[in-house]
Amino acid sequence: MKPKKTPMRMCLGCGEMKPKKDLIRVVKSPEGEISLDFKGKAAGRGAYICRSTDCLEKARKARRFEKSFSCKIEESVYEVMMNELREEPQDS
């Protein structure tokens, strides 16, 4: 029996390939709402970032979320995501 393959995803901030479970999914819902999805199960288009505010900031500056989701993202959405990332429990 082969060992189970670990799904890898690229962080939009640093560009590194990492195991999916080590990253946070940013999701654009079918209604067009953008939010952090800590469980990775929300419906919609997903993109991934590391669990650091630095990577979120890099992705924001390079407009990688806007390119990934093909839409304009308001500053207020980034502020909410920053706060959620800071408040996330670090035990996982």
Side-chain angles (χ1 to χ4, degrees), residues 9-26 36-38 47-60 64-65 81-82 84-86 88 90 92:
R9 298 290 182 269
M10 189 192 318
C11 170
L12 288 184
C14 62
E16 287 181 35
M17 292 296 285
K18 296 187 178 184
K20 185 177 166 181
K21 65 177 175 42
D22 294 349
L23 300 172
I24 296 173
R25 185 170 182 249
V26 180
L36 293 180
D37 174 19
F38 293 101
Y48 294 83
I49 57 162
C50 295
R51 295 177 183 270
S52 79
T53 52
D54 290 346
C55 281
L56 181 59
E57 199 55 49
K58 283 180 195 171
R60 175 187 191 175
R64 291 198 180 111
F65 290 117
M81 289 196 313
M82 260 311 177
E84 284 180 2
L85 200 54
R86 285 188 191 112
E88 187 213 1
Q90 296 299 317
S92 53

